[in-house]
Amino acid sequence: MQASEQIATIKRKLGQRLLILGHYYQRDKVLQHADAVGDSLELARRAAREQDAERIVFCGVHFMAESADILTDPRQQVYMPDMAAGCPMADMAPLRELRKAWEELQSISGDWLPVIYVNSSAAAKAFCGAHGGCTCTSSNASQVMQWVFEQGKRVLFLPDEHLARNTAHDLGLDDTLIATFDPGRPMGGLTEAALSQARVLAWKGYCHVHAFTVEQIQEARRRYPDAHIIVHPETPAPVLRLADAHGSTSQIIKYVEAAQDGSTIVIGTEFNLVSRLGRTHRDRLNIVPLRVSVCPNMALTNESKLMRTLQDWPENNLIRVDETHRTDARKALARMLQLA
Ligand code: 13P
Ligand code: SF4
C-alpha cells in the first residue's frame, strides 16, 4: 500500500481521536492529509479549542508543536513527524540571553514588557508570561504591540528584528524610537541615551528564508513593471518598504484572492506557499516568487515520515514541554489568543 493510502486508512480508523495540523509552508503531499491547514495563529487557535483528539500530529516546525502542546489538555499528546524540524530564528533567543537582557534593562527602567514572537522556545514564552508579556504571530503583532503602548510601557520584542521594526513602523513610530538590541553585546550594544529614547527594542534575530534584498525587488520591478509586490513582515524593513504591500501568511493569501483577474503578483515568502498560490490561481493570475526560498526545516516533514508516526507513535516524536515552563508559557499564549 502507498503511504497516502496507509495514512488514509489510519485516519479512518482513529476518526476524531486523531487530528493532523499542517502549516501553509508544508508540501502539498503532506497537506492533503491535514484536518486543518493554517498559519501559526490559526493552528494555535485550532489546537486551543480541540477537545476530542487524543493525538495531534503537527506538520510544521518545533515551536508550533510546542505551542499546540501547551495549549491542549495534558491527556492529549502532540507528535511531530520529524523532531529535527526546528526554526533557526527561534534559537536566536535562548533563555539565558533573554534573562541577561532583561536584567540589564531593569537596571535602567522598569517600564518594559516582553513581546515574544511565537517563533521562540517554550522557555522564552514562559519568561514572557511570567513577566506580564504576551506572545504574537505575524498576523497580530500590531495588536499586541498596541496593547503594550496602551499600558504606557515600552516593548522588548524578540527574536525577529524585522517583524519588530515593520510592526512599530506600521503603528506610526518614527525610526528614531526603534533600536536594535544585540544580545551578544553588553546593554544590547546601546548607549544609555539610546535606551532611554527607544520605545521598541528589536532583538537582533532574523529568518534566512525571508532575507530578501533591495536588488531582488528592483529586478522584479524591471521584469514585471505592472506587478504588485507583497512580502512577509519578516523581510528586512528597507526591502519591505519598497514593496506594495506586506502581510502574514494568511494576509498574503487574502491579498491574492482579492487581486484583479489578469494581475501579476510577486510574492516574497516561503516557496511552497507561493507555488501553491500560483497553481490555485493559475487561470486568472500570474504569481511569481520574489526569490525561490524554501524553509529547509518545514521541508523535513514528508509523507513517509507522517505515515511512520501514525503507524508507530514513536516516543521520540512526542513533544514534551518542560513542566517548569508550561504554566507561564500558557499565560503568554492565552493572553495573545484573547487579544487578537
Ligand atoms: P505565519 O505566522 O505567517 O504562519 O509564519 C510563520 C513563520 O514561521 C514565518 O516564517
Ligand atoms: Fe523559522 Fe523562517 Fe522557517 Fe519560518 S520560514 S519556520 S521563521 S526558518
Side-chain angles (χ1 to χ4, degrees), residues 100-118:
K100 177 175 146 285
W102 190 252
E103 275 164 26
E104 287 173 342
L105 292 180
Q106 297 307 304
S107 71
I108 297 214
S109 130
D111 60 1
W112 300 100
L113 273 185
V115 173
I116 306 224
Y117 194 23
V118 290

Side-chain angles (χ1 to χ4, degrees), residues 5-23:
E5 288 169 48
Q6 301 217 22
I7 293 170
T9 308
I10 297 169
K11 283 189 69 176
R12 268 197 302 278
K13 194 170 131 220
L14 292 180
Q16 306 276 309
R17 286 153 57 211
L18 167 67
L19 178 77
I20 301 180
L21 298 176
H23 189 269

Side-chain angles (χ1 to χ4, degrees), residues 23 25 39-40 63-64 117 119 137-138 210 232 234 248-249:
H23 189 269
Y25 292 175
D39 66 7
S40 54
F63 72 80
M64 296 177 181
Y117 194 23
N119 300 36
T137 75
S138 53
H210 290 91
H232 191 279
E234 286 175 10
S248 67
T249 306

